[in-house]
Amino acid sequence: MCASSVFFFSSFNMIIPQLPAYLTQLGGEDYKGLIISLFTLTAMLSRPFSGKLADKVGRIPVMIFGSAICFIASGLYPLIGGVASFLLLRFFHGFSTGFKPTGTSAYVADIIPANKRGEAMGILGIFNSTGMALGPSIGGWIAANYTTDVLFYTSAAFGLMSVLVLVGLKETVKKPEPFSPKLLKMKVSEFYEPRVVGPSVTMMLTVFSFGIVLTIIPDFSVHLGFENKGIFFTVFVIASLFIRLIAGRASDRFGRVKVLRFSSISVSIAMLLIGFASTQWHLIGAAILFGMAVGTNSPTVFAWTIDLSREEARGKAMATMYIALEVGIGTGALLSAAIYDNDPANFSWAFWVGSISAFIAFLYLFTWEKRYQHKYE
């Protein structure tokens, strides 16, 4: 399962740093904010369905469907010829992250003891981050030495490998139902799990900054003289690798909220430093701090979500948290693109908005602990 995640995250991350320039070539320079936000919008809209299907049909079919979308979508990019078709394909591509991570997280929750959830999410995060690190690095190298079409076909190949690795895994849902269109009918109560509002809000406020980074960093990297626009993402992800397992174990021992206070304030400081970066080395240093902060934040929020969820609604709980994640990333992407507006003078302001959002998360965690700490114990 972890191997499948490496291929999956490599697949869609390897093309992200190249997409702003690719869209500009198509004549869509003013729509850069939609590259990430359309992707996350689809993922967000599909989460309630993927959560329900993961609980009913099974974790593995949901994971396979998400990885298959990566394979199909990446293979279609070379065939498009205009801005509208590009944006439509980005919307379709979003189904991949709407399904695969939901099934994966629920699968991990099924097989891991309660006292090792943080550690398990840290391990899973290491593999996810490995894919996120390999993707931009491989993508940048391919873009520099070959064509963009070769990049897209490589991304498709990684998506296919993610599917193939999943074949043969044992399903963890005890009595999975066969898929039926009736399962796509949703009640209001099936759209979100109220028990996990705390981790969901925390996730939304902290990943807001990640939406900014995904959208603005490629242009900011070029502004500072980087030839490979994926360098920041590679450094950021490698930094997150070394902290995830430690952070997961720390949250198992000291509690989720305490660790999240530390990670949220660290995200805030990192975004502040990115905004002040004036040289390549300044940006790399800020990328290291940002990676460590995100690497601490992510497995802890995931484990906290599982802690508060009911076993029979674990897929729905993970979907709720992922919806918050997509809202945060999508909003960050749109707002930062609007603030930046292709004017280098606005770079810092876009990053500093992310710093403010993460600081609000830091304050929110104190509020949650006072009001809801004992509600779900």
Side-chain angles (χ1 to χ4, degrees):
M1 185 194 61
C2 286
S4 175
S5 290
V6 170
F7 290 124
F8 173 77
F9 281 97
S10 294
S11 175
F12 77 84
N13 276 285
M14 72 171 59
I15 66 174
I16 287 178
Q18 311 306 323
L19 290 182
Y22 185 71
L23 181 57
T24 299
Q25 291 175 5
L26 294 175
E29 181 177 352
D30 294 335
Y31 301 98
K32 290 179 182 178
L34 295 178
I35 291 174
I36 301 301
S37 58
L38 277 177
F39 186 89
T40 55
L41 175 62
T42 319
M44 179 186 70
L45 293 175
S46 62
R47 294 290 184 191
F49 300 96
S50 65
K52 181 178 180 180
L53 291 174
D55 289 332
K56 300 291 185 181
V57 178
R59 320 302 193 197
I60 294 175
V62 166
M63 288 190 282
I64 289 177
F65 180 79
S67 293
I69 293 296
C70 266
F71 166 62
I72 296 169
S74 294
L76 290 176
Y77 280 106
L79 304 180
I80 62 176
V83 175
S85 55
F86 173 87
L87 296 176
L88 182 62
L89 185 54
R90 285 302 291 168
F91 185 81
F92 170 73
H93 203 164
F95 281 108
S96 61
T97 55
F99 278 78
K100 177 65 166 67
T102 302
T104 298
S105 301
Y107 193 96
V108 171
D110 292 340
I111 63 175
I112 297 299
N115 65 336
K116 292 191 174 183
R117 284 171 181 160
E119 181 179 354
M121 287 302 170
I123 293 172
L124 177 63
I126 288 173
F127 283 88
N128 293 348
S129 296
T130 298
M132 293 174 69
L134 288 174
S137 181
I138 294 172
W141 181 81
I142 292 174
N145 293 278
Y146 297 95
T147 65
T148 307
D149 285 357
V150 173
L151 171 62
F152 289 135
Y153 290 134
T154 304
S155 173
F158 273 66
L160 179 59
M161 286 188 284
S162 178
V163 173
L164 296 177
V165 170
L166 290 170
V167 177
L169 274 183
K170 183 180 179 180
E171 180 57 62
T172 56
V173 173
K174 296 178 181 178
K175 295 181 179 180
E177 302 177 16
F179 174 78
S180 168
K182 294 181 180 179
L183 292 175
L184 299 179
K185 294 181 179 180
M186 302 288 293
K187 300 177 182 177
V188 175
S189 60
E190 293 176 320
F191 276 92
Y192 81 104
E193 175 55 70
R195 294 174 65 94
V196 298
V197 168
S200 297
V201 171
T202 303
M203 177 63 86
M204 179 183 68
L205 292 170
T206 49
V207 300
F208 180 89
S209 60
F210 192 54
I212 297 173
V213 165
L214 288 173
T215 305
I216 307 298
I217 282 295
D219 283 2
F220 191 49
S221 297
V222 172
H223 177 70
L224 293 182
F226 284 102
E227 293 184 6
N228 187 332
K229 289 178 283 188
I231 291 295
F232 177 95
F233 296 100
T234 301
V235 172
F236 145 71
V237 174
I238 291 174
S240 76
L241 280 175
F242 292 99
I243 200 69
R244 286 181 182 273
L245 189 57
I246 297 173
R249 288 177 174 174
S251 74
D252 286 335
R253 181 176 179 182
F254 301 109
R256 317 300 186 199
V257 175
K258 290 181 180 179
V259 172
L260 286 171
R261 288 177 188 165
F262 171 77
S263 64
S264 59
I265 197 65
S266 297
V267 170
S268 181
I269 294 171
M271 291 300 289
L272 195 67
L273 293 177
I274 293 174
F276 279 117
S278 57
T279 69
Q280 293 182 5
W281 285 110
H282 288 164
L283 185 60
I284 288 175
I288 292 172
L289 178 58
F290 185 65
M292 294 180 68
V294 172
T296 302
N297 194 76
S298 181
T300 307
V301 172
F302 276 74
W304 190 21
T305 302
I306 297 170
D307 291 344
L308 298 178
S309 65
R310 296 167 293 137
E311 183 177 356
E312 68 275 13
R314 204 162 268 162
K316 182 170 70 169
M318 299 309 301
T320 299
M321 186 274 298
Y322 273 116
I323 289 172
L325 181 146
E326 307 299 353
V327 170
I329 292 177
T331 305
L334 277 176
L335 185 58
S336 62
I339 294 173
Y340 166 43
D341 197 27
N342 295 308
D343 183 353
N346 297 328
F347 275 129
S348 295
W349 295 107
F351 294 123
W352 291 339
V353 169
S355 177
I356 294 171
S357 178
F359 186 72
I360 293 173
F362 173 73
L363 298 177
Y364 170 77
L365 287 165
F366 286 93
T367 302
W368 188 93
E369 191 170 39
K370 290 178 181 179
R371 293 185 178 182
Y372 305 108
Q373 179 177 9
H374 305 294
K375 187 173 182 180
Y376 298 123
E377 290 183 349

